[in-house]
């Protein structure tokens, strides 16, 4: 049953055809199965309790929480050895909101350590595998959430997105990933990675479910001063699929085949699938235009992201010393104790990012790297805002192709297609823009995704376009192994 949508499960619960107890039991049993195959969880909440079913769409339905959300009385590690024994005394606001709605958390999902990474290979509990093909990555950092939702453990799991961490894993696992406008959901209790980019969000198997969950999570919160009042914005109720006359654009420099002289068969096929989807929207009266953006500007995206995210992460994570929380390090004095905790606790990838961040934040380097990165971020965001005056949204393929094989992963950003096709989702974080990925087809029996990004506060519009496209395709409510052409 847990492979059904929230809407369907709610109807079955309300009509008494299933019970919340049975659903939770099923989700826990499936968690153990998926854990064996995909290694998707840090904790399975064995004693999760059923709640009363109310008219709230989420009541009584199980879900998963990425392990970088603080959960009261439940281990919350951020998938890091530095917090391997940390049990918070409070819930993140997003989690508290879902509790109020009657949602029942059944597990904490594994991630790339503290959300830093895109492969699902740096969690302290080991590599997370893609349920479509266990030899492949789920991408990251919300890898465990994506694997679990795709495997049908429950209809949704929470994710967080600083660069693409909800939207890329969603694409590689054939599901929906929605990052709302920055500040719609309070970040209080989300372990901070890069505060100016971090966004809470959700992974689901259809667009309406994503709207339902974010409706419940969102709130203006005095504990997060970047959160804003969205109580009059009703995402789920506003989805009507009416898109006639909407104007979308795609970026020529990213999508045009002629940019890639040695194009692979896989990329060729992916770009072809993308263009077929544009036609499906055009058939519904959507106007789609090609827009040119300076390629040099687009190519700065990964460096701008690295400068800003590493600098903010280095500062945010300087509290991880093993003194206030986490296992105490060994040593003769406080400095040795803290040094030992960080040396032993962090994975090499994170340490590398802290070295970069510290370098960038050094007084003599700040102007050259940090401040300049902020300036280029501004140029990119300004260009997008200018385009959003004329267009309702940007539409692009999520990646070069399908999820890479785990043994072929490398984190080098060397060729043009990687720079242009694998990094552009970061634009959504630079501007705090609402952005959603939905499944867009299959290549060699693996899913690929398409992304829609709109202007700040224009979430309803973005969801509507995604919903209209989803309705024209055959990938709604898909689970891993359910091959569809
Ligand atoms: N893959 C990106 C990184 O490595 C994005 C991470 C994220 O969005 N949390 O930082």
């Amino acid at each position: 049953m847990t492979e059904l949508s929230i809407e369907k499960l709610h109807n079955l619960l309300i009509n008494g055809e299933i019970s919340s107890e049975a659903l939770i039991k099923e989700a826990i049993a499936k968690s153990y199965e998926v854990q064996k195959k995909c290694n998707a969880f840090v904790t399975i909440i064995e004693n999760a309790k059923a709640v009363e079913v109310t008219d709230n769409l989420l009541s009584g339905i199980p879900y998963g929480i990425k392990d970088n959300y603080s959960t009261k009385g439940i281990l919350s590690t951020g998938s890091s050895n530095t917090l391997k024994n940390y049990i918070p005394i409070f819930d993140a606001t997003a989690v508290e909101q879902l509790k109020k709605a009657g949602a029942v958390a059944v597990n904490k999902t594994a991630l790339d350590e503290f959300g830093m990474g895109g492969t699902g290979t740096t969690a302290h509990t080991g590599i997370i595998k893609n349920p479509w093909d266990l030899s492949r990555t789920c991408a990251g950092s919300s890898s465990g959430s994506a694997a679990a939702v795709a495997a049908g453990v429950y209809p949704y799991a929470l994710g967080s997105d600083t660069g693409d961490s909800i939207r890329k894993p969603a694409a590689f696992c054939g599901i929906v990933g929605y990052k709302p406008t920055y500040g719609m959901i309070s970040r209080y209790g989300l372990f901070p990675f890069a505060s100016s980019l971090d966004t809470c969000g959700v992974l689901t198997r259809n667009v309406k479910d994503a709207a339902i969950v974010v409706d419940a999570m969102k709130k203006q919160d005095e504990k997060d001063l970047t959160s804003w009042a969205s109580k009059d914005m009703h995402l789920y109720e506003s989805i009507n699929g009416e898109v006639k006359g909407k104007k979308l654009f795609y970026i020529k420099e990213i999508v045009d085949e002629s940019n890639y002289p040695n194009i692979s068969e896989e990329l060729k096929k992916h770009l072809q699938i993308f263009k077929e989807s544009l036609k499906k929207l055009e058939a519904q009266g959507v106007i789609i235009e090609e827009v040119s953006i300076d390629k040099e500007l687009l190519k700065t995206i990964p460096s701008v992201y690295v400068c800003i995210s590493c600098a903010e992460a280095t500062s945010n994570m300087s509290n991880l010393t093993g003194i206030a929380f986490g296992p105490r390090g060994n040593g003769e004095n406080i400095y040795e104790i803290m040094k030992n905790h960080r040396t032993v606790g962090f994975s090499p990838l994170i340490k590398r990012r802290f070295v970069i961040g510290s370098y960038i934040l050094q007084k003599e380097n700040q102007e050259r790297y940090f401040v300049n990165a902020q300036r280029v971020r501004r140029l990119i965001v300004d260009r997008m805002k200018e385009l959003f005056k004329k267009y309702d949204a940007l539409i692009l393929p999520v990646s070069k192709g399908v999820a890479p094989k785990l043994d072929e992963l490398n984190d080098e950003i060397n060729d043009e297609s990687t720079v242009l096709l694998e990094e552009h989702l970061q634009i959504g974080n630079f501007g705090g823009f609402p952005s959603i990925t939905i499944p867009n087809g299959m290549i060699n029996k693996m899913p690929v995704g398409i992304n829609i990004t709109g202007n700040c506060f224009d979430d309803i519009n973005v969801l509507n376009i995604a919903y209209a496209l989803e309705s024209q395709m055959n990938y709604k409510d898909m689970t891993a192994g359910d091959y569809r052409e």
Side-chain angles (χ1 to χ4, degrees), residues 383-431:
R383 179 79 175 109
M384 293 300 294
K385 291 219 157 148
E386 187 189 304
L387 286 161
F388 286 141
K389 281 190 194 143
K390 185 167 170 208
Y391 296 98
D392 293 289
L394 160 68
I395 186 160
L396 285 174
V398 168
S399 59
K400 288 198 289 189
V402 305
K405 292 252 186 205
L406 283 160
D407 59 8
E408 288 170 8
L409 281 175
N410 73 57
D411 48 10
E412 283 169 29
I413 307 175
N414 38 23
D415 63 300
E416 188 110 338
S417 60
T418 307
V419 177
L420 293 171
L421 273 155
E422 296 284 346
E423 306 286 327
H424 63 76
L425 292 183
Q426 291 157 12
I427 295 173
N429 304 74
F430 290 171

Side-chain angles (χ1 to χ4, degrees), residues 33 81 163 203 228 264 280 291 306 374 404-405 417 430 452 481:
E33 269 169 46
N81 270 318
L203 297 99
W228 45 274
S264 67
K280 290 187 178 121
V291 161
V306 165
Q374 300 284 24
K405 292 252 186 205
S417 60
F430 290 171
I452 296 151

Side-chain angles (χ1 to χ4, degrees), residues 6-299:
I6 293 171
E7 277 180 325
K8 281 198 182 133
L9 288 174
H10 178 68
N11 285 334
L12 291 170
L13 284 167
I14 283 284
N15 297 334
E17 287 168 62
I18 47 166
S19 68
S20 172
E21 282 89 353
L23 273 185
I24 287 153
K25 213 169 146 200
E26 182 185 335
I28 293 172
K30 279 189 182 164
S31 301
Y32 283 108
E33 269 169 46
V34 170
Q35 182 68 346
K36 267 191 232 144
K37 290 191 210 141
C38 301
N39 197 31
F41 310 112
V42 179
T43 306
I44 296 174
I45 308 170
E46 180 81 44
N47 60 355
K49 297 262 176 317
V51 298
E52 191 199 345
V53 176
T54 65
D55 57 6
N56 191 307
L57 286 166
L58 298 177
S59 63
I61 298 179
Y63 79 106
I65 305 177
K66 189 173 175 178
D67 208 36
N68 59 349
Y69 282 81
S70 186
T71 46
K72 187 176 173 179
I74 297 168
L75 187 70
S76 302
T77 69
S79 281
S80 176
N81 270 318
T82 60
L83 290 183
K84 68 179 176 195
N85 61 1
Y86 173 54
I87 299 179
I89 52 166
F90 68 98
D91 277 324
T93 297
V95 170
E96 190 180 78
Q97 286 288 100
L98 289 170
K99 234 180 221 176
K100 272 194 221 150
V104 183
V106 293
N107 56 43
K108 296 289 301 281
T109 64
L111 56 142
D112 277 301
E113 189 175 4
F114 289 125
M116 297 169 106
T119 57
T121 58
T122 64
H124 73 310
T125 47
I127 294 171
I128 304 147
K129 296 172 188 164
N130 191 313
W132 286 88
D133 174 349
L134 301 179
S135 71
R136 292 180 189 272
T137 169
C138 299
S141 61
S142 310
S143 329
S145 290
V149 172
V153 173
Y154 31 51
Y156 70 100
L158 306 194
S160 63
D161 191 311
T162 303
D164 58 16
S165 274
I166 287 176
R167 296 161 291 157
K168 184 75 84 65
F172 283 179
C173 291
I175 58 173
V176 171
Y178 170 37
K179 173 189 96 67
T181 299
Y182 181 81
M184 188 190 274
I185 301 172
S186 164
R187 283 177 293 116
Y188 179 72
L190 173 74
F191 298 173
F193 164 8
S195 309
S196 76
L197 306 165
D198 291 346
T199 319
C200 299
V202 70
L203 297 99
T204 61
R205 289 185 297 266
N206 68 65
V207 174
K208 278 196 170 175
D209 279 2
I212 292 170
V213 179
V214 173
D215 270 334
M217 286 164 86
K218 70 190 178 60
K219 162 184 173 157
Q220 184 168 29
D221 184 7
E222 62 186 17
K223 298 187 194 118
D224 173 3
L225 294 178
T226 64
S227 65
W228 45 274
S230 59
K231 64 179 185 326
D232 295 331
M233 201 185 256
H234 304 288
L235 303 172
Y236 171 63
E237 284 171 20
S238 307
I239 295 179
N240 55 19
E242 279 168 25
V243 288
K244 197 162 183 270
K246 297 260 180 215
K247 279 182 92 171
L248 304 191
F249 73 101
Y250 63 87
I251 302 173
K252 179 171 188 284
E253 287 68 20
I254 294 179
V255 167
D256 199 351
E257 252 191 67
S258 65
N259 285 311
Y260 312 110
N262 304 316
I263 189 164
S264 67
E265 279 310 307
E266 189 173 320
L267 177 51
K268 220 182 210 171
K269 174 91 179 97
H270 193 190
L271 294 176
Q272 182 197 331
I273 290 175
F274 172 72
K275 285 184 184 136
E276 281 161 18
S277 295
L278 298 186
K279 286 200 194 107
K280 290 187 178 121
L281 280 170
E282 280 168 340
Q284 294 180 77
V286 175
I287 300 150
I288 303 178
E289 289 178 0
E290 180 173 87
V291 161
S292 216
I293 295 188
D294 182 357
K295 209 189 234 179
E296 291 313 308
L297 188 61
L298 292 171
K299 282 176 156 178

